[in-house]
Amino acid sequence: MAAITSAEALRALYGAPSPRSLAKQLDHIDAHCRAFIALSPFLVLSTQGPDGLGDATPRGDHAGFVGVADEKTLIIPDRPGNGRVDSLSNLVERPGIGLLFLIPGFDETLRVNGTAVIEDDVALRTAHAINGRLPLTVLVVTVREAYLQCGKALMRSKLWAEESRVERTRLPTMGEMIRDQTRSAAPAESQAEMVARYKAALY
């Protein structure tokens, strides 16, 4: 086994990209990207940590929760999480950001890359309030690249197929797994208790 250590060796193995795959990359949000974002209730947000490691995290809300301020600017509200603020901490030092938007039932995805700043502007936060609760901050993303990703990965995974659904009982509860990982002697939180706690803190 040999490691691929240069762009030249990688390209020699994979060949040239198709002209279409290059031509579809935009430097802005067009009408199709805007419509895709409006239907998306979920995205994966990626940043880079101080150790150089990539960091990907899920973000989800109602469909269209990411605002399109204009063709170069997206607004992402930051909802309550676990308090680690890994992504936000990364962005303070390294503003590069990658977004992958998904729509339930769609095999295609939308990739957006750019830079982000963290804002606590009251007007922006108010515009993204849910049940009267404002996000503590919003991410203002400046779009550098936007392109629609073909559906091969989701087709191979059959992500949305009913037969792909995995029963929750195939794994221990989240509480049990965390208890084992932290070597805690406390009773494990039940799945029902965890869901109730999450619902009380969604916004």
Side-chain angles (χ1 to χ4, degrees), residues 137-152:
T137 61
V138 297
L139 289 180
V140 180
V141 178
T142 299
V143 176
R144 299 280 185 85
E145 300 174 346
Y147 49 102
L148 292 164
Q149 179 77 35
C150 74
K152 295 188 189 76

Side-chain angles (χ1 to χ4, degrees), residues 103 105-109 149-155 158-160:
I103 300 173
F106 280 52
D107 288 332
E108 300 79 17
T109 55
Q149 179 77 35
C150 74
K152 295 188 189 76
L154 272 71
M155 290 170 68
K158 299 180 181 179
L159 183 64
W160 309 121

Side-chain angles (χ1 to χ4, degrees), residues 55-189:
D55 194 331
T57 181
R59 291 288 188 272
D61 213 322
H62 59 278
F65 74 98
V66 174
V68 182
D70 55 54
E71 67 176 14
K72 296 289 289 186
T73 311
L74 302 181
I75 309 295
I76 307 175
D78 191 64
R79 304 300 184 194
N82 58 17
R84 288 178 54 116
V85 296
D86 292 325
S87 298
L88 300 186
S89 298
N90 292 341
L91 290 169
V92 167
E93 300 294 336
R94 288 158 297 280
I97 191 170
L99 307 172
L100 178 67
F101 290 90
L102 287 84
I103 300 173
F106 280 52
D107 288 332
E108 300 79 17
T109 55
L110 173 65
R111 295 169 65 175
V112 176
N113 300 319
T115 58
V117 295
I118 305 164
E119 296 273 3
D120 63 357
D121 179 79
V122 174
L124 286 177
R125 293 166 57 215
T126 300
H128 292 273
I130 297 290
N131 299 329
R133 299 184 183 182
L134 280 62
L136 288 178
T137 61
V138 297
L139 289 180
V140 180
V141 178
T142 299
V143 176
R144 299 280 185 85
E145 300 174 346
Y147 49 102
L148 292 164
Q149 179 77 35
C150 74
K152 295 188 189 76
L154 272 71
M155 290 170 68
R156 283 191 292 261
S157 68
K158 299 180 181 179
L159 183 64
W160 309 121
E162 184 63 31
E163 64 267 24
S164 294
R165 292 182 62 88
V166 178
E167 291 295 328
R168 184 61 188 81
T169 54
R170 292 288 299 275
L171 286 175
T173 67
M174 185 73 157
E176 289 168 337
M177 290 189 284
I178 291 176
R179 178 201 60 197
D180 293 344
Q181 291 174 338
T182 59
R183 300 181 180 179
S184 172
E189 181 180 44

